[in-house]
Amino acid sequence: EAQLVESGGGLVQAGDSLTLSCAASGFTFADYGIAWFRQAPGKQREVVSYVNNKDGKTYYVDFVKGRFTISSDNAKNTVYLQMNNLKPDDTAVYYCTVGVVTSVSATWFDTWGPGTQVTVSS
């Protein structure tokens, strides 16, 4: 059974940095993609970034391009999200999930970690 555990969240000021970690188990890590989503209060969960562990290709949503960097350590079954120049709008619970990434689509399984809270004060 796939399991994911996020960590690394916290309370920071605008302009600060945080690195989130997603530790995965229960599946062949190198065969799948891992995505970071976030959910702010009163809003829908939205994708932030993902990495395809098969080929290392990455994707970023426009509002984090240039500020966030996703990376994957296949030896540790862990994906990281380096977040720089954080803004108050980045405040949310951040979740990771696993799925299948192809050249034309990304499909995420309904498997989520407990999430990690990121709060950015102005």
Side-chain angles (χ1 to χ4, degrees), residues 71-93:
S71 61
S72 185
D73 186 336
N74 284 9
K76 294 183 178 180
N77 284 9
T78 300
V79 170
Y80 305 95
L81 186 67
Q82 172 70 41
M83 307 186 295
N84 297 327
N85 190 21
L86 283 161
K87 304 176 180 181
D89 284 348
D90 294 319
T91 295
V93 179

Side-chain angles (χ1 to χ4, degrees), residues 11-108:
L11 171 63
V12 297
Q13 293 186 332
D16 285 350
S17 299
L18 276 176
T19 299
L20 306 183
S21 299
C22 171
S25 61
F27 59 96
T28 304
F29 187 78
D31 286 348
Y32 293 93
I34 300 291
W36 283 99
F37 281 70
R38 70 186 189 187
Q39 188 166 19
K43 295 188 177 181
Q44 288 190 333
R45 194 170 296 188
E46 60 184 358
V47 66
V48 174
S49 177
Y50 61 80
V51 58
N52 185 357
N53 287 329
K54 279 190 171 182
D55 59 14
K57 291 184 178 179
T58 58
Y59 165 86
Y60 298 92
V61 68
D62 283 347
F63 55 76
V64 304
K65 282 182 180 177
R67 299 191 298 126
F68 291 11
T69 302
I70 192 168
S71 61
S72 185
D73 186 336
N74 284 9
K76 294 183 178 180
N77 284 9
T78 300
V79 170
Y80 305 95
L81 186 67
Q82 172 70 41
M83 307 186 295
N84 297 327
N85 190 21
L86 283 161
K87 304 176 180 181
D89 284 348
D90 294 319
T91 295
V93 179
Y94 284 71
Y95 301 90
C96 59
T97 188
V98 57
V100 176
V101 179
T102 71
S103 59
V104 296
S105 68
T107 303
W108 306 108

